[in-house]
Amino acid sequence: MAPKIGVYICHCGSNIAGIVDCSKVSDFARALPNVAVARDYKYMCSDPGQNLIKDDIKKLGLNRVVVASCSPRMHEPTFRRACQDAGLNQYLFEMANIREQCSWVHTDKEMATEKAKALVAAAVKRVALHEPLETKEVSMNANTLVIGGGVAGIQAALEIADSGHKVYLLEKDASIGGHMAMFDKTFPTLDCAACILTPKMTTVGQHRNIELLANSEITELSGYVGNFKAKIKKKARYIDMVKCTGCGRCSELCPTSIPNEFDCGLGKRKAIYIPSPYAVPNKAIIDAKNCRHLKGKAEGKADVCRLCQKGIPNRNQPGCEAEAIDFNQQDEIVEIEIGNIIVATGFQQFDPTKIYQLGYGRLNNVFTGLEFERLTNASGPTNGKVLLKDGSEPKAVAILHCIGSRDTNYHKYCSRVCCMYSLKFAHLLREKLPDTAVYQLYIDMRCAGSGYEEFYERLQEEGVNFIRGKAGEVTDLTETPEEKGKLVVMVEDTLVRRKRRLPVDMVILSCALEPRPDTEQLARILTLSRKADGFLLEKHPKLDPVATTTDGIYIVGACQSPKDIPDTVAQASAAAARVLALISKGKVEIEAAIAYIDEDKCAGCKICIDMCPYKAISFDEVKKVCRVNEALCKGCGTCVAACPAGAIKGRHFTTEEIMAEIEGVMA
Amino acid sequence: MTFEPKIVGILCNWCSYTGADLAGTSRKKYAPNVRIVRVMCSGRVEPTFVIKAFERGADGVLICGCHIGDCHYQDGNKKTARRMPLLKKMLSQFGIEDERVRLEWVSASEGDRFAAIVNEMTEQVRKLGPFKSNGGAANG
Amino acid sequence: MTHYPYYPGCGLSPEGFGRAFDWSIKGVNAVLGLDFREIPDWNCCGTVPYDTLHEEASFAVCARNLALAEKMGGDLVAPCSSCYVFLSRTNQYLAQYPKVKKSVDEALAAGGLEYHGKVKVRKVLDVYVNDVGNDVIASKVKRNLDGLKVACYYGCQEVRPIFGKDHPENPKYMDKLVKALGAEPVNFPFKSACCGGSLIISEEDASLDLIKKLLDSAVSNGAEVMVTGCPLCQLNVDAYQSVVNRKYKTNYHLPVLFFTQLMGVAFGLDEKELGLKTSIVPAKKALAKFI
Amino acid sequence: MSEAKTTTFIDEICAIPGGEDIKVCIQCGTCTASCPNADRMDYSPSHLIAMARAGMREEVLSANSMWLCLSCYLCVVRCPRDIKITRLMHVLESLSARAGLNSKRTTTPVMYKGFNKYIANTGRISELWMMVGYYFRTSLFKAIGMLPVALSLFTHRRVSLKLDKMSPESIKQLQTIIAKAESSGGDK
Ligand SMILES: Cc1cc2nc3c(=O)[nH]c(=O)nc-3n(C[C@H](O)[C@H](O)[C@H](O)COP(=O)(O)OP(=O)(O)OC[C@H]3O[C@@H](n4cnc5c(N)ncnc54)[C@H](O)[C@@H]3O)c2cc1C
Ligand SMILES: Cc1cc2nc3c(=O)[nH]c(=O)nc-3n(C[C@H](O)[C@H](O)[C@H](O)COP(=O)(O)OP(=O)(O)OC[C@H]3O[C@@H](n4cnc5c(N)ncnc54)[C@H](O)[C@@H]3O)c2cc1C
Ligand code: SF4
Ligand code: SF4
Ligand code: SF4
Ligand code: SF4
Ligand code: SF4
Ligand code: SF4
Ligand code: SF4
Ligand code: SF4
């Protein structure tokens, strides 16, 4: 059937028409071979715009369509659907990108118009060669993997599990809870973090639809939306999870005491320990790096310590009575099959030792935000008392904003939550130590959220000293008697234009939220992309902020960008809804633009087999030819380029189609 | 009038094409000399595409893919990189100068970088002048 | 022998106030097997005053030296911190601003020169620590400076404008070198603070204040000598110590040496060759054990 | 103060390489908090930037602030917007001197001018002659105060009456280069 092509040039208001002369382009298109009709219109993606296409298909009997407008990443699905509605196979459509890659990036109208013409010519040449393709449907595995057990992962897991579907919740640490579990209060409502989070954590631990894989990490992923296979490494815990009752006797016996990560190193824990009072799972774990027995074993020493297991019999102190301790446990790899994945791996706090002049790690009583959270937490190392390293109470505290954020030397972005948690800290200080002076050193107060500005005003009323200026330096080199023994914060009060030296006892650094160091590795395993700032990249920042470019994988919470708990939870619920929608549909469409091997041309050289990243090509020993597994092929085309016999066809990206496009842009 | 080179850009869908889109959404201005052809993966690029472009009058070809390690299809770009020496050899047989063909890694967040590469390459090719094919005759 | 083009700058020139730095560098180089070759007929880098009042020409003034060095090949060594900053900065601006490059190229061409931006500018300390290495330096020590308490004073420009290899506020590489000589670097929080050298003539009060803080910190941390790699710092803290004492009623007697002089002492070089006597606060007492 | 004037002053600053940084300052005050001389300045470095952006040309150019900058670069190291404040200070000095507005409450410009004359004439600088020239032009009284320092420098062979000069051909070459750079005035 001879191609009969309709070409539609979009003005996109003035977005395109402001630079590209759209009527000239449509005149040009009209004269191209095989073009039956060419029109330009204000908004092609609008209903009237789409109707233009549908009507022409029906009335003029078009069998190919080209739209020149925005990026295909934006509206290809829209126009494909319009074609389909009018009875045309959706693959008989092609888009020319004359906005993102033309009108928005050029200033010379004439050259931009010429370029737009070339792009349209290319699309017209290409579309003439398009073939109708049928998308296939495969069934959908209803299980979901959630990676990361912070508030984001917990929320998503619960919503999916509650609707009756199985969830694997993967957490690399010994307990779920993430950062929120470390807080005492949360802004702006000052809810007790434990009161709102621990019930959810417990529910996760007991939910019959949730399989909690704590102390575990993902190592490999294969498959595609609806049918993923993941390899999970369950790291040895040295505890039998079934037998352990979480009684804590073992910890009491253990002689090895080390800084507790959960308390940011401000408190101590044992080598065998239960991560926190509300840990889920509430079971012991042995820290192999510090356990005397396991260290000894690694060095070939036969039997060191084991007090936790054996107890101290002569003092009538029995060891673990449940016989739950198992020093022979090994790391274990399990494989699970799932249909969807939600990534909720969160953030890490910026390490302020990098900013030498702030004295963190060098001067006593300079704390990070998370450390201060632990100091105010009733179950923290000081039982919630705000104390200096020497055990006394501070008389003056300075809270320093934007540490590692909004700073080209570290992170350019604003971390979005630190203004608010700094206010929270100020409030907790006013409440716990009413006579202590509190200074907030800020550049801008960023309090955009429901009830946030009101919280700021409340803190002003509570008598906190707000100084507009970023601290330049924290020093213990004092100059006057009243500074003696204190930390001096140097700052310009930019509202009065005076350099000030603030003598205080405690400095809190409101540190940036940054991507976790293993984000790159995780992105590689899951084939996700990252943004310039290192956080995971969403599919579209406005219109699809929870999906990724890989179908079936969603990102939620602080692994996408710094965000607070309300935003995190909203996003987690959104992703859960997306997953549930797919599960309820039960089927997924698989890509039709994939590779196909012409058995007559295939020489059986097997070069393609090694080329395929998805092991989609197998060799037929009988016919001595290769074959593509349609469910596994993702259509990258690497094999097509590599086949010496030219036997592989990359559907929708055939050599002829691409060549035609190249000829077209050069026309 | 200054010589306006024609350059064909072959970009992978996931990183580089998205990066070029980002240059657009952030309104970065760059030279209008590059016309972009989209492929799913830089690993799809065949030497014949490049030769075809020159044959049809291109003065340069720019190939862009995801950074090594970031390939949407795991390591298609590594395969592209491995094919480059072969491609360059073919090009020299056709009398095509090395500087006329560039392979660059551009991620989805590097709109700036994409614009800079286009400008730089346009200038470079402008300096080289229009490409005149020797039809590959000299070396067969 | 490794060769480097060498730019002594006005301070280290034969008539300059920091000539002892030049002498001691040469002495130490002989021991370490380094060859610094003076750029023939170099000119003053112009430093702050020139940049300030003739910003168009200041790049060209620096570039003339770079062009001459480029002909010689190799990394250029500029001992004075200010020369170092202004020469490196010229490289940076030439690369960053086409406008600057154009004007400099034209100016150089008028003088029959050209510069292609290939010269890397480095400090003596950087060459010693990173090209020679502290191990080699330690192996040349003849008189271990055991027990000598040293305040390593880097000054502001040595490490600052991101050209350096060390931390811009808490540099350590001079401390490590001093340790390699057997001496003991003391805690000295002001090690990269400014001495006010560039304004000592016109804004004396401000500068004296800064010098006093330096002396205070070094002496209270037990330093017996201060060493530095900047001729301006050395001049300032040495020559104005008596003025500080007069103004603040203090009584500092802290010898201020070039670190190369200290190296020379450890290598057993002759006191004269090192120009120890050019120090105004005498170093004799502090170094008595070693010379 | 008209808005047109506002744009002009900013343009003037941005036209000098390095001056354009002024646009991205977020007025955080880190530079001032770090500056060893801020307390002596008429306006702190960050204040000066704000005034410049507000188009307060005369006030900015007649301030002593930039002349008190020690070129210690501490502000540059710490500025969260990677602004080369030190360079900006030099830019303002240059504009101030050209406009003839330089502050009379600091003698730094006089010193700088003397310094630069040496470069133009001999290609190199002598500390001693520069000091002599400076005190001669500013205050003889101060010079007397500095006599002991000068004397001690002299007795320790730290300064010399001789001038270290380049060869006449090289001086000529340098002068040609300077003349060309100033005439092409790429920066102005
Ligand atoms: C000091 C401070 C105070 C704050 N105070 C408040 C407040 O008062 N109110 C508020 O709304 N917000 C506050 N926030 C922000 C809040 O912490 C975040 O919004 C929230 O923690 C984000 O939750 P998340 O689940 O995305 O990430 P996280 O809490 O970081 O949880 C991520 C989880 O994933 C796990 N994980 C990471 N990588 C992997 C992997 N590869 N495999 C398996 N598991 C993995 C981690 O171990 C962790 O359990 C504060 C932040 C800070 C730094
Ligand atoms: C000047 C301005 C510029 C902005 N620019 C940006 C920007 O650049 N980027 C950005 O991300 N955000 C921007 N925003 C914010 C953006 O507008 C909102 O985030 C967004 O519109 C919110 O969408 P919505 O659907 O919740 O509400 P709306 O857009 O207000 O839509 C609500 C709809 O509900 C209908 N409706 C109301 N009541 C009833 C009823 N009782 N029954 C039936 N229908 C009802 C209304 O008619 C309306 O159609 C901007 C906002 C403003 C004011
Ligand atoms: S390991 Fe044993 S002793 Fe320890 S918590 Fe579990 S049951 Fe109790
Ligand atoms: S073996 Fe000893 S060190 Fe190890 S966990 Fe048990 S009691 Fe602690
Ligand atoms: S939220 Fe506030 S403290 Fe945090 S980076 Fe943004 S402005 Fe700075
Ligand atoms: S109300 Fe709007 S304009 Fe004002 S601070 Fe909030 S976001 Fe900014
Ligand atoms: S590379 Fe081509 S010819 Fe070789 S086995 Fe694969 S399809 Fe067949
Ligand atoms: S196009 Fe070829 S290489 Fe790519 S996934 Fe499909 S079969 Fe594998
Ligand atoms: S430190 Fe930088 S951003 Fe902050 S006020 Fe100074 S110049 Fe502006
Ligand atoms: S360089 Fe100048 S402005 Fe900057 S901190 Fe030093 S003295 Fe202050």
Side-chain angles (χ1 to χ4, degrees):
Chain A
M1 190 177 32
K4 216 171 166 193
I5 307 171
V7 182
Y8 303 87
I9 319 293
C10 181
H11 295 194
C12 195
S14 62
N15 278 306
I16 295 172
I19 295 286
V20 171
D21 186 334
C22 293
S23 67
K24 260 198 196 149
V25 178
S26 67
D27 290 346
F28 165 82
R30 208 166 294 124
L32 292 171
N34 298 325
V35 173
V37 59
R39 304 179 194 276
D40 55 298
Y41 184 69
K42 216 175 184 87
Y43 290 109
M44 279 310 299
C45 58
S46 66
D47 273 346
Q50 295 188 42
N51 287 337
L52 222 57
I53 302 176
K54 292 184 199 169
D55 291 348
D56 283 352
I57 293 174
K58 287 181 199 147
K59 288 192 193 130
L60 303 176
L62 300 180
N63 57 17
R64 299 280 192 286
V65 171
V66 167
V67 175
S69 58
C70 50
S71 169
R73 302 180 56 81
M74 183 87 191
H75 272 309
E76 192 172 55
T78 314
F79 296 120
R80 280 185 169 183
R81 225 176 297 121
C83 291
Q84 229 165 359
D85 289 348
L88 192 67
N89 182 283
Q90 56 168 330
Y91 285 93
L92 297 174
F93 165 78
E94 179 65 12
M95 227 168 147
N97 184 344
I98 61 167
R99 190 179 76 175
E100 280 84 347
Q101 297 182 2
C102 189
S103 69
W104 275 352
V105 287
H106 304 320
T107 43
D108 182 321
K109 291 189 179 182
E110 204 169 309
M111 302 230 353
T113 305
E114 283 310 306
K115 179 170 169 181
K117 282 186 193 168
L119 293 173
V120 168
V124 167
K125 257 190 163 274
R126 187 190 208 280
V127 83
L129 301 172
H130 281 198
E131 293 168 17
L133 299 176
E134 290 315 319
T135 46
K136 290 205 179 118
E137 287 192 328
V138 295
S139 68
M140 172 98 207
N141 184 321
N143 298 344
T144 304
L145 169 65
V146 176
I147 306 175
V151 60
I154 291 172
Q155 179 76 15
L158 284 176
E159 290 200 18
I160 296 169
D162 282 346
S163 71
H165 299 284
K166 167 140 188 156
V167 176
Y168 297 95
L169 179 56
L170 189 65
E171 168 57 57
K172 71 164 177 40
D173 286 348
S175 165
I176 57 170
H179 285 98
M180 188 177 167
M182 300 166 82
F183 308 159
D184 186 53
K185 296 275 186 342
T186 56
F187 66 73
T189 46
L190 300 171
D191 305 86
C192 148
C195 316
I196 54 180
L197 186 65
T198 43
K200 280 182 187 277
M201 289 167 64
T202 323
T203 315
V204 165
Q206 294 164 353
H207 209 293
R208 59 192 167 84
N209 287 331
I210 298 181
E211 184 171 333
L212 181 55
L213 301 162
N215 205 32
S216 303
E217 273 166 59
I218 182 166
T219 58
E220 231 181 279
L221 183 75
S222 60
Y224 51 95
V225 55
N227 296 278
F228 289 111
K229 270 198 190 119
K231 282 203 178 131
I232 309 287
K233 180 161 107 186
K234 290 171 96 172
K235 292 173 281 185
R237 192 172 179 124
Y238 306 101
I239 299 294
D240 185 322
M241 296 289 276
V242 179
K243 290 185 186 154
C244 174
T245 61
C247 68
R249 172 183 290 282
C250 50
S251 298
E252 283 163 25
L253 290 162
C254 177
T256 309
S257 187
I258 55 165
N260 187 351
E261 303 82 354
F262 192 72
D263 284 334
C264 300
L266 296 175
K268 299 270 187 198
R269 66 156 168 85
K270 297 296 183 64
I272 184 166
Y273 65 107
I274 298 173
S276 82
Y278 355 87
V280 172
N282 201 285
K283 314 268 175 184
I285 179 168
I286 298 181
D287 167 3
K289 272 203 208 85
N290 289 297
C291 163
R292 297 168 194 216
H293 179 72
L294 288 169
K295 267 200 318 204
K297 211 165 127 181
E299 289 159 13
K301 281 183 217 140
D303 197 12
V304 193
C305 190
R306 286 209 292 129
L307 287 180
C308 51
Q309 196 173 38
K310 296 188 296 197
I312 313 174
N314 56 7
R315 272 198 253 153
N316 207 13
Q317 289 185 14
C320 172
E321 289 170 320
E323 299 187 343
I325 299 172
D326 174 6
F327 288 108
N328 295 320
Q329 243 180 33
Q330 300 286 328
D331 290 355
E332 194 187 335
I333 304 278
V334 296
E335 204 174 274
I336 57 174
E337 294 187 359
I338 59 262
N340 289 286
I341 298 171
I342 293 177
V343 184
T345 48
F347 67 96
Q348 79 170 11
Q349 179 179 257
F350 169 77
D351 171 12
T353 50
K354 289 184 188 145
I355 311 182
Y356 177 81
Q357 65 268 25
L358 296 179
Y360 181 77
R362 209 159 39 86
L363 305 174
N364 261 340
N365 300 317
V366 180
F367 294 91
T368 66
L370 280 178
E371 284 173 345
F372 188 74
E373 289 286 356
R374 296 312 295 158
L375 282 185
T376 53
N377 197 302
S379 66
T382 53
N383 300 321
K385 288 209 182 79
V386 178
L387 300 176
L388 299 171
K389 293 272 162 78
D390 67 2
S392 65
E393 287 178 350
K395 294 271 169 291
V397 181
I399 305 173
L400 277 43
H401 287 221
C402 302
I403 305 306
S405 311
R406 304 182 67 192
D407 188 335
T408 27
N409 302 305
Y410 309 100
H411 299 301
K412 279 192 170 188
Y413 54 81
C414 162
S415 287
R416 249 185 103 185
V417 301
C418 16
C419 273
M420 286 304 295
Y421 77 59
S422 300
L423 288 176
K424 174 178 77 177
F425 293 169
H427 170 80
L428 293 173
L429 282 162
R430 298 304 288 150
E431 192 178 71
K432 288 176 192 253
L433 304 167
D435 296 330
T436 296
V438 181
Y439 300 93
Q440 294 264 0
L441 274 55
Y442 70 99
I443 312 177
D444 300 294
M445 286 303 299
R446 298 198 163 166
C447 310
S450 179
Y452 290 12
E453 184 73 11
E454 293 87 332
F455 191 61
Y456 175 23
E457 190 184 345
R458 171 171 169 190
L459 267 293
Q460 288 179 301
E461 285 163 2
E462 283 179 15
V464 171
N465 304 296
F466 287 87
I467 299 180
R468 194 198 169 281
K470 188 177 178 187
E473 186 173 339
V474 179
T475 175
D476 60 351
L477 300 168
T478 54
E479 287 185 356
T480 58
E482 57 270 27
E483 286 178 3
K484 209 153 182 70
K486 302 227 171 202
L487 293 168
V488 179
V489 183
M490 315 260 254
V491 62
E492 181 191 23
D493 189 328
T494 60
L495 299 178
V496 295
R497 291 299 178 187
R498 277 288 162 276
K499 198 170 150 180
R500 289 175 69 175
R501 293 173 63 92
L502 299 175
V504 296
D505 304 300
M506 175 186 270
V507 169
I508 305 170
L509 305 177
S510 295
C511 297
L513 277 62
E514 63 181 16
R516 294 179 36 82
D518 61 356
T519 310
E520 187 183 353
Q521 193 196 343
L522 186 74
R524 197 167 300 165
I525 294 173
L526 304 175
T527 64
L528 301 180
S529 299
R530 291 183 305 144
K531 290 176 272 212
D533 57 22
F535 287 102
L536 292 172
L537 178 71
E538 62 284 316
K539 191 165 185 179
H540 191 283
K542 287 195 193 60
L543 301 181
D544 212 348
V546 299
T548 65
T549 48
T550 304
D551 287 342
I553 305 187
Y554 303 87
I555 49 175
V556 302
C559 65
Q560 183 213 18
S561 63
K563 53 173 71 75
D564 57 19
I565 297 164
D567 286 1
T568 295
V569 170
Q571 215 186 8
S573 300
R578 296 285 289 273
V579 168
L580 288 172
L582 276 182
I583 293 175
S584 74
K585 199 173 162 199
K587 286 191 169 17
V588 278
E589 281 186 359
I590 58 169
E591 186 51 70
I594 54 172
Y596 163 80
I597 295 179
D598 182 343
E599 293 186 0
D600 293 338
K601 285 192 191 161
C602 172
C605 71
K606 299 190 196 172
I607 285 176
C608 53
I609 295 185
D610 287 340
M611 283 293 147
C612 179
Y614 301 103
K615 302 185 185 71
I617 307 181
S618 55
F619 188 62
D620 181 333
E621 290 292 349
V622 183
K623 290 193 174 171
K624 303 285 181 216
V625 292
C626 279
R627 195 163 290 141
V628 176
N629 179 337
E630 297 191 344
L632 293 179
C633 172
K634 297 199 176 179
C636 69
T638 308
C639 60
V640 186
C643 175
I648 315 183
K649 181 167 167 180
R651 286 187 172 123
H652 207 54
F653 283 90
T654 66
T655 305
E656 296 73 26
E657 286 165 357
I658 295 170
M659 291 286 212
E661 195 175 345
I662 292 172
E663 283 176 16
V665 291
M666 290 312 304
Chain B
M1 219 179 74
T2 51
F3 158 59
E4 289 298 342
K6 283 186 177 174
I7 298 170
V8 174
I10 309 181
L11 273 57
C12 87
N13 179 56
W14 303 100
C15 291
S16 309
Y17 196 87
T18 316
D21 274 355
L22 179 66
T25 36
S26 38
R27 309 297 197 277
K28 294 275 163 217
K29 303 295 175 212
Y30 59 81
N33 303 59
V34 174
R35 270 108 219 238
I36 293 169
V37 170
R38 180 168 65 129
V39 290
M40 294 312 277
C41 174
S42 62
R44 175 68 182 91
V45 178
E46 294 179 32
T48 47
F49 296 174
V50 179
I51 308 286
K52 178 68 146 196
F54 283 108
E55 201 182 289
R56 288 289 166 147
D59 303 300
V61 173
L62 170 65
I63 304 167
C64 300
C66 317
H67 285 272
I68 296 294
D70 284 350
C71 176
H72 184 78
Y73 303 104
Q74 294 174 2
D75 52 9
N77 48 7
K78 280 193 199 152
K79 289 160 192 155
T80 321
R82 241 181 279 142
R83 278 185 210 136
M84 262 327 255
L86 183 78
L87 174 63
K88 294 250 164 173
K89 210 169 139 195
M90 283 175 72
L91 294 173
S92 75
Q93 283 173 357
F94 281 88
I96 300 170
E97 297 96 321
D98 236 27
E99 297 93 319
R100 292 193 188 272
V101 179
R102 263 183 136 172
L103 174 63
E104 294 280 355
W105 308 135
V106 175
S107 82
S109 57
E110 292 176 331
D112 285 9
R113 185 175 141 78
F114 179 74
I117 289 172
V118 168
N119 284 334
E120 213 180 291
M121 179 156 182
T122 306
E123 271 323 299
Q124 192 179 25
V125 176
R126 205 193 303 276
K127 273 194 198 133
L128 285 174
F131 170 65
K132 287 188 198 68
S133 164
N134 68 0
N139 301 297
Chain C
M1 269 220 198
T2 323
H3 309 290
Y4 296 81
Y6 178 58
Y7 177 83
C10 304
L12 275 72
S13 68
E15 310 299 334
F17 55 88
R19 57 187 104 153
F21 194 10
D22 181 65
W23 301 339
S24 53
I25 288 173
K26 292 197 170 121
V28 167
N29 278 356
V31 177
L32 296 178
L34 293 172
D35 180 9
F36 289 0
R37 292 187 183 166
E38 186 165 331
I39 302 176
D41 263 340
W42 52 268
N43 58 269
C44 171
C45 72
T47 178
V48 178
Y50 216 76
D51 181 41
T52 295
L53 299 179
H54 302 264
E55 85 280 347
E56 331 78 29
S58 76
F59 294 111
V61 164
C62 286
R64 178 177 175 271
N65 296 314
L66 294 171
L68 295 174
E70 198 173 51
K71 281 198 217 164
M72 300 166 72
D75 291 354
L76 172 64
V77 182
C80 167
S81 298
S82 193
C83 302
Y84 165 69
V85 164
F86 279 88
L87 293 171
S88 328
R89 192 202 66 168
T90 300
N91 268 336
Q92 213 181 34
Y93 275 67
L94 283 173
Q96 195 182 338
Y97 296 94
K99 188 159 108 179
V100 173
K101 175 142 179 40
K102 185 163 172 277
S103 118
V104 166
D105 281 350
E106 283 170 12
L108 287 180
L113 289 173
E114 51 187 326
Y115 178 54
H116 305 285
K118 297 215 177 86
V119 177
K120 204 168 135 203
V121 187
R122 300 179 63 189
K123 292 233 39 174
V124 179
L125 188 56
D126 169 19
V127 169
Y128 285 0
V129 172
N130 293 309
D131 293 7
V132 178
N134 281 336
D135 296 349
V136 175
I137 290 169
S139 74
K140 306 284 182 192
V141 171
K142 292 223 178 76
R143 289 186 293 221
N144 195 303
L145 304 180
D146 193 18
L148 183 67
K149 295 209 163 98
V150 182
C152 292
Y153 179 46
Y154 298 74
C156 53
Q157 301 192 335
E158 163 108 31
V159 285
R160 214 80 98 204
I162 334 277
F163 307 132
K165 294 198 166 180
D166 207 336
H167 194 286
E169 296 197 40
N170 183 29
K172 297 215 172 80
Y173 67 159
M174 202 189 319
D175 295 68
K176 286 183 191 150
L177 180 135
V178 160
K179 231 184 231 162
L181 304 177
E184 184 190 324
V186 299
N187 173 35
F188 181 35
F190 282 87
K191 58 163 99 163
S192 72
C194 178
C195 71
S198 65
L199 295 185
I200 184 71
I201 298 182
S202 60
E203 292 294 335
E204 195 187 299
D205 280 352
S207 300
L208 290 180
D209 218 34
L210 298 173
I211 300 173
K212 177 185 177 264
K213 278 186 193 158
L214 290 176
L215 289 167
D216 242 359
S217 172
V219 170
S220 66
N221 279 297
E224 297 166 89
V225 297
M226 176 184 278
V227 294
T228 175
C230 173
L232 213 60
C233 296
Q234 197 281 337
L235 177 73
N236 225 18
V237 186
D238 186 17
Y240 287 84
Q241 217 170 108
S242 59
V243 186
V244 165
N245 283 339
R246 231 179 308 136
K247 182 172 175 199
Y248 297 94
K249 312 223 171 345
T250 48
N251 193 18
Y252 294 118
H253 288 288
L254 185 68
V256 188
L257 299 177
F258 294 108
F259 72 94
T260 41
Q261 291 178 306
L262 199 65
M263 288 174 83
V265 170
F267 290 173
L269 301 183
D270 179 50
E271 190 187 336
K272 264 219 187 87
E273 191 187 348
L274 297 172
L276 287 183
K277 287 232 173 82
T278 65
S279 291
I280 291 159
V281 179
K284 192 124 197 142
K285 217 170 108 194
L287 298 179
K289 274 194 280 179
F290 312 106
I291 40 182
Chain D
M1 192 194 331
S2 80
E3 282 302 311
K5 201 168 153 198
T6 308
T7 30
T8 335
F9 188 38
I10 281 286
D11 289 348
E12 214 178 330
I13 294 170
C14 293
I16 301 178
E20 72 282 0
D21 277 359
I22 196 169
K23 292 187 207 156
V24 296
C25 168
I26 48 172
Q27 286 294 305
C28 69
T30 304
C31 48
T32 300
S34 309
C35 179
N37 244 0
D39 288 338
R40 295 171 193 267
M41 295 177 178
D42 289 343
Y43 312 106
S44 69
S46 47
H47 193 181
L48 206 61
I49 291 175
M51 288 166 64
R53 295 204 297 199
M56 300 165 73
R57 185 170 190 275
E58 227 137 280
E59 292 89 332
V60 168
L61 294 186
S62 52
N64 72 354
S65 306
M66 51 275 192
W67 302 105
L68 288 188
C69 167
L70 295 155
S71 301
C72 75
Y73 292 89
L74 193 54
C75 49
V76 177
V77 168
R78 291 181 181 170
C79 170
R81 279 287 163 97
D82 198 20
I83 295 171
K84 310 285 182 279
I85 299 126
T86 315
R87 169 71 177 164
L88 212 49
M89 290 298 200
H90 297 175
V91 167
L92 292 177
E93 283 169 321
S94 160
L95 289 174
S96 156
R98 259 192 251 151
L101 287 170
N102 49 288
S103 170
K104 301 290 173 291
R105 275 162 304 113
T106 168
T107 50
T108 309
V110 179
M111 177 189 72
Y112 284 180
K113 275 185 191 145
F115 186 98
N116 291 347
K117 230 174 84 194
Y118 269 100
I119 299 185
N121 292 339
T122 66
R124 294 185 187 171
I125 291 297
S126 145
E127 186 84 354
L128 179 73
W129 289 109
M130 207 182 83
M131 274 166 85
V132 170
Y134 167 79
Y135 287 121
F136 194 72
R137 253 163 293 162
T138 53
S139 136
L140 223 53
F141 175 72
K142 241 174 146 186
I144 294 164
M146 282 329 282
L147 262 178
V149 174
L151 213 65
S152 69
L153 284 172
F154 207 72
T155 52
H156 286 81
R157 302 204 299 139
R158 293 297 291 275
V159 285
S160 134
L161 293 172
K162 275 196 292 180
L163 261 174
D164 184 48
K165 276 198 199 150
M166 302 159 68
S167 72
E169 309 83 71
S170 293
I171 293 185
K172 209 143 173 265
Q173 182 189 43
L174 178 66
Q175 284 166 345
T176 317
I177 291 176
I178 292 178
K180 179 73 190 166
E182 303 217 315
S183 76
S184 80
D187 299 346
K188 271 181 203 158

